[in-house]
């Protein structure tokens, strides 16, 4: 057999590019599964269970974990989201305004509050404002301070999201509305904003998830047993029972909020993709 005939026999044995990629992918899955199985097999599940999964400690946290801590976490999230969405919409319209000072103010606000940590903003709202205005206080006590503190930071991110949504609406929509005799404000409210919000609903839902996790910073305001949220509640339970199981319970309760929201985001993104 000469070299040419040998080459003709070898060529059919070569794998296609797609088949090679599939083999590499399957091999990667197998290696990953073996690593996970090895880690799980090597773990001391008895000590882990005693440290993180004590049912007696978990049971002692209920029903307050739901009726107080989880409820307050949800309330803080919703209040901050409504405040941030309202302020963010105003800032987005200011960024797109033809009036230069409006654009300057909105840009300065967005850059400032996107750069500041939410913890610092909460601290300044909770302690700086009362010092600056001793005769005045934010209505609602802790709930009001959390709404303003988290809402100020969230508004900066929401403003950029809403602005991008408005700019994604074809300009012809606004021009067509103006030719029908609508004022600029009426055209924005009736034509542009409804279309923009359909575009930005998924990222705004992601902002709710981020706000839910940011409520863990509320402890800096000195919450009471009636206004406590999940992270502080779990931290107090950990100190009382000298066991980290409360942190696991708090994490699971956070997932009760965030996982359904994540599913909503994916459903909205699939729907928007189909519509496009």
């Amino acid at each position: 057999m000469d070299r040419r005939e040998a080459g003709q026999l070898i060529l059919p044995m070569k794998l296609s590019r797609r088949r090679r990629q599939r083999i590499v992918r399957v091999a990667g899955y197998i290696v990953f599964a073996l690593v996970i199985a090895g880690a799980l097999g090597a773990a001391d599940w008895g000590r882990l269970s005693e440290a993180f999964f004590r049912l007696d400690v978990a049971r002692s946290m209920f029903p307050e974990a739901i009726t107080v801590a989880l409820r307050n976490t949800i309330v803080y999230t919703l209040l901050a989201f409504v405040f941030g969405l309202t302020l963010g919409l105003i800032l987005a319209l200011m960024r797109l305004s033809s009036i230069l000072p409006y654009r300057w103010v909105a840009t300065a606000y967005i850059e400032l509050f996107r750069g500041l940590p939410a913890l610092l903003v909460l601290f300044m709202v909770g302690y700086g404002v009362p010092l600056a205005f001793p005769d005045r206080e934010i209505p609602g006590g802790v709930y009001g301070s959390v709404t303003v503190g988290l809402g100020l930071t969230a508004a900066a991110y929401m403003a950029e999201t809403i602005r991008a949504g408005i700019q994604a609406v074809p300009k012809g929509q606004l021009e067509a509305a103006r030719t029908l005799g609508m004022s600029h404000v009426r055209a924005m409210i009736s034509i542009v904003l409804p279309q923009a919000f359909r575009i930005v609903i998924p990222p705004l839902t992601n902002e709710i998830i981020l706000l839910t996790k940011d409520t863990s910073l509320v402890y800096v305001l000195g919450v009471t047993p009636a206004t406590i949220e999940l992270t502080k509640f779990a931290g107090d339970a950990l100190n009382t029972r000298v066991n980290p199981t409360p942190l696991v319970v708090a994490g699971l309760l956070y997932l009760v909020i965030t996982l359904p929201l994540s599913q909503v985001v994916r459903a909205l993104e699939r729907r928007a993709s189909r519509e496009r």
Side-chain angles (χ1 to χ4, degrees), residues 15-25:
L15 299 176
S16 65
R17 182 179 179 183
R18 179 177 298 180
R19 191 173 182 85
R20 289 198 303 271
Q21 291 176 344
R22 187 178 303 171
I23 292 174
V24 172
R25 191 182 304 117

Side-chain angles (χ1 to χ4, degrees), residues 59-122:
R59 280 195 296 266
S60 67
M61 298 176 62
F62 293 90
E64 290 81 6
I66 294 177
T67 58
V68 179
L70 181 62
R71 175 180 61 84
N72 283 333
T73 298
I74 294 174
V75 170
Y76 291 147
T77 300
L78 293 178
L79 290 175
F81 179 77
V82 171
F83 181 90
L85 180 62
T86 303
L87 181 57
L89 175 59
I90 295 172
L91 291 169
L93 294 175
M94 290 174 66
R95 279 291 305 270
L96 297 173
S97 174
S98 59
I99 302 175
L100 191 58
Y102 286 175
R103 297 203 303 272
W104 286 347
V105 170
T107 301
Y109 177 96
I110 291 170
E111 295 301 324
L112 174 65
F113 281 93
R114 284 202 303 178
L116 291 176
L119 180 64
L120 179 60
V121 177
L122 268 175

